[in-house]
Amino acid sequence: MSQPQHMHTFCDELSENFKQTSPYKSNLDTLLSSLRDRSSLGTYSNVTIGISPDTVHGKFLCRGDITKTSCSDCVKTATLEITKNNCTSKKNAIIFYEECMVRYSNVSFYSLVESGPWSARYSLDSFPDSIFNPFQQTLSNKVEQLIILTASKSSLSSSTPYYVRDRGQVNQFDEYSYTLDTMVQCSPDLDPANCSVCLRLAVQGISHCCKNARIAQLYIPKCFLRYDTAGLPIAQSPSGSFSVKTMEGGRIIITAMATSVLAFIGL
């Protein structure tokens, strides 16, 4: 079985530190264990452990198109990895995988829309600039359609809350048509209105981070957007290669896997 694909781990450098012998550490361990236990039951769960000032809030969200086993494997991996390296003593952290995300914080984040941090993965196979603007409008229109559908799946009683996927043929250009496979998903702690806001933020993020990419997916803390195209002409690029972009605060980090180059671009 393939391992979950790690995208990025964010530690809030402005958050408080905790000692490894503190009640917060004990509560965090209990919370992460609880998320692991719940990961086989569904695509989402949130947990709050402890009393102030050592309360810990946490959650996981799995992509709606993966199996229960893959969801559980991803959450178990994420809950073990999130507290390593620079996150060892930080009270606020979030980890993104292609298949899931896990986060914890000493401050409640439930029901809030957040624009970052975000992490995106996109193909280096791209289509020409002349296609990008009309495609971007088509993608935006498609997501708007899916936003309406997500409202009907907002209940936790749904098998996969706030998850919609659409695949169809697009006849946008005279020379050719193409297939657009689009997936959107929100964290169930949002209400339908804030889910809509989050997905529109994701569309904006895709347009900035992944211009011309044939395949792209973007995670922000409360929602997820992925698209895949087939049938559009592509520019020359290393076939099958992907890059990962992440943003924390005012800095974008670009990791180009094909060339093993790490570049920092100030905003």
Side-chain angles (χ1 to χ4, degrees), residues 193-205:
N194 280 328
C195 174
S196 300
V197 171
C198 190
L199 290 174
R200 292 186 180 107
L201 287 171
V203 172
Q204 294 176 14

Side-chain angles (χ1 to χ4, degrees), residues 35-47:
L35 292 179
R36 285 193 290 272
D37 292 341
R38 296 178 180 213
S39 64
S40 61
L41 303 178
T43 57
Y44 168 82
S45 186
N46 68 67
V47 180

